[in-house]
Amino acid sequence: MSGPSFPTPDLSHLNSSHYKFVYEPAEDTFLLLDALEKDYRFLETLDPLFCVEIGSGSGCATAFLGSMLGSRSRAFFCTDVNPKAASATIQTAQKNSVAVNAVLTDLTQALQPRLNGQVDLLVFNPPYVVTTSDEVGSRSIEAAWAGGIDGREVIDRTLPVVNELLSPGGVFYMVVIRENRPEELMDLMRSRYGLESQVVMSRRAGQEGLSILRFQRPARS
């Protein structure tokens, strides 16, 4: 059964001058929104209290979640290593009437260990593009896409963090491309951290084979 449909967040406050420094929502962003919308009933039942988006960029995904789930009685945290992205996230949240805490930090360092074991909904559209290692580590727009070898260098740093942050019933959504070897990622998360996974949605965008993976701990019997 399909759930209700929700509008794409209003991003009219952002323009080409912003997108010189902040990742502009593209096919990967919209696939993530579609996957979250597809999972609306599941997320409604989950009723997440603490929601975190890693690398929020424009803030589009969290604004969408806030509008979809309602921001009352929820805490939305967005992190980004790029100061201009953190600023854009705040502007997008305000434009869409969603209360967001934007934190300037690498991955989730500033949130840990305070939120360890408490995050019910974790979202990450990582820098997944295959590049050389020396392109990784920027604090500007390159941080949004440069993923290093196999596009996995930032992703692989994040996986232990996911295990630390998720609450017992928490769920993690991540965007990947074929070159990231998603099946290997899914096997690793199961064998190392006991997190089950599935592909929520896939789509081809130009040369990229995009997928949204969902990870969660198995239900206790």
Side-chain angles (χ1 to χ4, degrees):
M1 180 185 297
S2 60
S5 179
F6 298 92
T8 300
D10 184 353
L11 301 174
S12 60
H13 55 290
L14 301 178
N15 55 45
S16 58
S17 65
H18 294 93
Y19 295 135
K20 290 178 182 178
F21 306 100
V22 176
Y23 184 70
E24 181 174 4
E27 284 296 328
D28 51 355
T29 313
F30 300 126
L31 180 62
L32 176 58
L33 301 193
D34 288 346
L36 294 169
E37 183 177 79
K38 179 183 178 182
D39 269 5
Y40 170 70
R41 296 299 183 195
F42 165 76
L43 293 172
E44 184 182 43
T45 300
L46 180 66
D47 194 22
L49 174 59
F50 287 104
C51 307
V52 174
E53 182 182 6
I54 304 171
S56 57
S58 68
C60 182
T62 291
F64 183 77
L65 278 171
S67 299
M68 186 174 81
L69 297 174
S71 57
R72 181 177 295 180
S73 301
R74 301 185 204 281
F76 288 97
F77 293 89
C78 290
T79 74
D80 208 294
V81 74
N82 178 355
K84 293 186 182 298
S87 176
T89 290
I90 293 171
Q91 293 174 52
T92 298
Q94 292 173 341
K95 185 75 173 181
N96 292 274
S97 302
V98 176
V100 166
N101 302 283
V103 183
L104 187 63
T105 187
D106 179 30
L107 298 179
T108 59
Q109 285 183 5
L111 302 182
Q112 294 182 275
R114 183 163 58 98
L115 288 186
N116 281 359
Q118 298 188 59
V119 177
D120 304 306
L121 176 55
L122 183 63
V123 176
F124 191 25
N125 184 359
Y128 55 66
V129 176
V130 178
T131 66
T132 58
S133 292
D134 59 9
E135 293 183 68
V136 179
S138 165
R139 294 185 179 273
S140 187
I141 190 169
E142 295 82 7
W145 51 265
I149 297 170
D150 296 325
R152 283 273 297 269
E153 293 188 30
V154 179
I155 289 174
D156 287 343
R157 285 181 54 219
T158 307
L159 302 186
V161 171
V162 173
N163 181 58
E164 293 166 357
L165 284 172
L166 282 187
S167 65
V171 61
F172 171 52
Y173 291 85
M174 182 169 66
V175 182
V176 295
I177 57 173
R178 182 179 57 253
E179 289 79 2
N180 302 148
R181 304 194 304 275
E183 296 83 4
E184 180 183 289
L185 283 168
M186 295 165 81
D187 288 343
L188 187 154
M189 292 292 268
R190 180 174 58 252
S191 62
R192 188 169 297 178
Y193 304 115
L195 291 167
E196 300 296 334
S197 59
Q198 66 181 84
V199 179
V200 179
M201 193 173 283
S202 295
R203 182 177 300 160
R204 175 164 289 281
Q207 297 299 311
E208 291 183 342
L210 292 162
S211 295
I212 308 299
L213 307 183
R214 187 181 80 195
F215 300 89
Q216 61 191 130
R217 304 189 196 285
R220 295 179 179 178
S221 56

